[in-house]
């Protein structure tokens, strides 16, 4: 489903890999396409028939945590040093710099046989050695829970507030900014599921509010970003039917209402809009072979202001994991959505993304990964287009339950054409990290 102002979506797999594995990982570089708002009804396809490299439990290395009654506390701190060869993402007069990052985190999770409750808090503090204008201060507090009503119905909810940094590859990033573009995001979600026999019904609602900080220019001026502040209400529903133990067909619909707090500019209305999306497809989990989901449908965004023409067309969402061997996972992801543009003469753009990722367990305690992603944005009503290619690779070495190290390299290539599409540039980043956990 679509959501409010966000970074153009490309690599769906990047956010999934680190969530279920408490081992050493390099400080996560934000992927092209990471979303400001988490979808309130993600498609589920795991039926326990396959296990990806990053999902696999490693009892001899997994953190044990600290038992506190019916809960377990998992403290963790990750530190990293890095190098970036184009700190300001410019096509000329490139500046390089070294970075230091510290990311403490604590997760408090229930051990109950039924229901669940998790509270998590963390920070992500990044410092540049000489280009201090790019320093970043991030933090987050998240609470989530699930209530099981019998064996067929569940209710779940979450609340999250976070201060984060917008990746420069975003189509909406202020290209004249010298400082990092940071924003505050607050989100509430409620979901319900009912699964009698082969039928499964799901519904979800999300409220999200996003506010952007002003940023400094190279001439010490100030760029106001208050015309990007917005709040979104999203509702969605899905019907899914299992035609076999490993395959289901689904149909889903969603509605988003986006409201911007201020005009885009004096006398120019902003892009408040309504978006409808319908999607149909299949989810599958075939033993020792592959699992995933494929969906195709129609999306249409209609703006309140007559200045912006409605945008509609084919929408798609796909994620397929292939398991050539028990220690190798190949993941293909893709999306086609409509997003809001960042300049005056366009209401929105069509975002097309695809990514391919390889994860390999070289040894029980050495994990390798490689990824390539491509994004193509077409801005309606203008001649502007944007192409982004991202290539990355990394390794994680788990020393003990408590200590691990990681290394990664990432290269971005951003090619912008037409009026208002922003700068073209390329950038390479290296990161070495150390994780200490309990």
């Amino acid at each position: 489903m679509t959501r409010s102002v966000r970074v153009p979506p490309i690599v769906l797999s990047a956010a999934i890999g680190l969530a279920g594995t408490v081992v050493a990982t390099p400080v996560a570089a934000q992927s092209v396409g990471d979303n400001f708002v988490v979808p309130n009804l993600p498609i589920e396809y795991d039926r326990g028939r396959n296990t990806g490299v990053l999902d696999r439990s490693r009892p001899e290395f997994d953190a044990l945590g600290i038992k506190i009654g019916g809960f377990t506390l998992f403290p963790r701190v990750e530190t990293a040093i890095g190098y970036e060869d184009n700190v300001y993402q410019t096509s000329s007069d490139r500046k390089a710099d070294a970075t230091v990052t510290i990311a403490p985190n604590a997760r408090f999770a229930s051990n109950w046989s039924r229901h669940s409750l998790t509270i998590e808090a963390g920070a992500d503090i990044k410092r540049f050695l000489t280009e201090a204008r790019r320093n970043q201060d991030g933090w987050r507090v998240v609470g989530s829970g699930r209530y099981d009503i019998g064996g067929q119905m569940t209710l779940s909810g979450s609340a999250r507030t976070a201060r984060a940094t917008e990746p420069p590859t975003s189509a909406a990033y202020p290209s004249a900014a010298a400082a990092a573009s940071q924003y505050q995001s607050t989100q509430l979600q409620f979901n319900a599921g009912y699964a009698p026999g082969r039928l499964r019904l799901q519904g979800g609602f999300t409220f999200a509010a996003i506010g952007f900080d002003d940023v400094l220019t190279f001439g010490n001026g100030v760029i106001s970003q208050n015309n990007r502040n917005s709040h979104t209400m999203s509702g969605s529903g899905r019907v899914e039917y299992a035609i076999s133990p490993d395959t289901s067909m689904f149909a889903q619909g969603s509605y988003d209402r986006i409201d911007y707090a201020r005009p885009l500019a004096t006398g120019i209305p902003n892009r408040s809009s309504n978006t409808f999306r319908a999607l149909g497809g299949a989810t599958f989990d075939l033993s020792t072979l592959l699992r995933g989901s494929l969906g195709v449908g129609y999306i249409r965004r209609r703006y309140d202001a007559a200045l912006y023409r409605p945008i509609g067309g084919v929408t798609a969402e796909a994620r397929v994991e292939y398991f050539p061997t028990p220690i190798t996972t190949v993941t293909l992801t893709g999306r086609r959505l409509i997003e809001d543009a960042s300049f005056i003469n366009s209401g929105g753009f069509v975002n097309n993304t695809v990514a391919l990722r390889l994860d390999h367990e070289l040894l029980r305690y050495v994990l390798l990964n490689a990824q390539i992603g491509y994004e193509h944005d077409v801005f309606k009503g203008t001649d502007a287009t944007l192409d982004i290619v991202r290539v990355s690779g990394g390794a994680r070495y788990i020393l003990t339950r408590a200590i691990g190290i990681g290394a990664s390299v990432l290269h971005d290539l951003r090619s912008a054409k037409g009026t208002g599409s922003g700068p073209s540039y390329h950038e390479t980043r290296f990161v070495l990290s150390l994780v200490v956990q309990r």
Side-chain angles (χ1 to χ4, degrees), residues 72-136:
T72 303
L73 175 64
F74 295 94
R76 170 190 175 106
V77 62
E78 184 170 357
T79 59
I81 56 173
Y83 175 81
E84 302 182 8
D85 71 353
N86 191 1
V87 172
Y88 295 106
Q89 292 81 39
T90 57
S91 58
S92 60
D93 192 25
R94 296 156 53 94
K95 292 185 180 296
D97 201 0
T99 63
V100 177
T101 303
I102 181 169
N105 190 80
R107 182 167 59 91
F108 194 59
S110 64
N111 303 319
W112 309 331
S113 58
R114 295 183 64 232
H115 320 305
S116 69
L117 177 64
T118 301
I119 300 173
E120 184 172 351
D124 190 355
I125 302 168
K126 183 176 182 179
R127 291 292 180 265
F128 287 79
L129 267 62
T130 59
E131 305 301 326
R133 289 179 293 191
R134 284 292 197 189
N135 288 348
Q136 301 171 16

Side-chain angles (χ1 to χ4, degrees), residues 16 22 35 39 114 117-119 129 141 151 208 211 218 243 259 280 282 288 298 310 338 367 377 386 410 415:
I16 294 175
V22 285
N35 294 323
R114 295 183 64 232
L117 177 64
T118 301
I119 300 173
L129 267 62
V141 178
F218 292 97
I243 60 177
D259 286 295
T288 71
Y298 181 79
I338 294 173
L367 306 180
D377 299 329
L386 176 63
L410 186 146
S415 177

Side-chain angles (χ1 to χ4, degrees), residues 27-69:
V27 172
Q30 190 154 13
S31 298
V32 180
D34 283 352
N35 294 323
F36 286 124
V37 181
V38 180
N40 65 351
L41 206 60
I43 297 176
E44 300 176 7
Y45 52 82
D46 184 7
R47 295 173 173 80
R49 289 175 169 80
N50 294 289
T51 303
V53 170
L54 297 178
D55 302 324
R56 185 170 298 124
S57 176
R58 297 172 177 83
E60 68 273 35
F61 295 113
D62 290 347
L64 297 176
I66 303 169
K67 303 294 183 181
I68 305 175

Side-chain angles (χ1 to χ4, degrees), residues 27-272:
V27 172
Q30 190 154 13
S31 298
V32 180
D34 283 352
N35 294 323
F36 286 124
V37 181
V38 180
N40 65 351
L41 206 60
I43 297 176
E44 300 176 7
Y45 52 82
D46 184 7
R47 295 173 173 80
R49 289 175 169 80
N50 294 289
T51 303
V53 170
L54 297 178
D55 302 324
R56 185 170 298 124
S57 176
R58 297 172 177 83
E60 68 273 35
F61 295 113
D62 290 347
L64 297 176
I66 303 169
K67 303 294 183 181
I68 305 175
F71 290 82
T72 303
L73 175 64
F74 295 94
R76 170 190 175 106
V77 62
E78 184 170 357
T79 59
I81 56 173
Y83 175 81
E84 302 182 8
D85 71 353
N86 191 1
V87 172
Y88 295 106
Q89 292 81 39
T90 57
S91 58
S92 60
D93 192 25
R94 296 156 53 94
K95 292 185 180 296
D97 201 0
T99 63
V100 177
T101 303
I102 181 169
N105 190 80
R107 182 167 59 91
F108 194 59
S110 64
N111 303 319
W112 309 331
S113 58
R114 295 183 64 232
H115 320 305
S116 69
L117 177 64
T118 301
I119 300 173
E120 184 172 351
D124 190 355
I125 302 168
K126 183 176 182 179
R127 291 292 180 265
F128 287 79
L129 267 62
T130 59
E131 305 301 326
R133 289 179 293 191
R134 284 292 197 189
N135 288 348
Q136 301 171 16
D137 295 300
W139 57 266
R140 66 193 174 280
V141 178
V142 185
S144 61
R146 188 193 72 250
Y147 183 74
D148 302 318
I149 305 175
Q152 297 179 332
M153 187 170 185
T154 61
L155 300 175
S156 61
S158 66
R160 172 189 178 93
T161 185
R163 178 175 171 80
T165 301
E166 181 181 9
T169 45
S170 166
Y173 194 88
S175 57
S181 175
Q182 297 200 281
Y183 63 93
Q184 183 75 28
S185 173
T186 300
Q187 183 170 312
L188 299 175
Q189 291 187 348
F190 301 96
N191 297 327
Y194 179 59
R198 293 189 175 192
L199 184 65
R200 185 181 188 188
L201 306 176
Q202 293 176 280
F205 173 81
T206 296
F207 173 83
I210 298 176
F212 286 84
D213 294 353
D214 295 343
V215 292
L216 292 175
T217 67
F218 292 97
N220 292 323
V222 175
I223 300 175
S224 173
Q225 297 199 88
N226 59 19
N227 63 1
R228 300 180 66 191
N229 299 345
S230 68
H231 65 265
T232 302
M233 290 186 291
S234 304
S236 58
R238 180 186 304 126
V239 178
E240 187 170 356
Y241 183 78
I243 60 177
S244 71
D246 52 24
T247 304
S248 296
M249 306 298 293
F250 72 86
Q252 71 178 49
S254 64
Y255 166 77
D256 293 355
R257 172 61 194 179
I258 304 174
D259 286 295
Y260 288 89
R262 293 177 173 83
L264 187 64
T266 302
I268 300 177
N270 216 318
R271 300 179 179 90
S272 297

Side-chain angles (χ1 to χ4, degrees), residues 320-348:
V320 177
E321 293 177 293
Y322 171 58
F323 306 92
T325 73
I327 60 173
T328 303
T329 303
V330 180
T331 306
L332 177 67
T333 58
R335 263 188 177 176
R336 178 179 171 87
L337 290 173
I338 294 173
E339 305 285 349
D340 283 343
S342 59
F343 44 93
I344 292 175
N345 56 341
S346 177

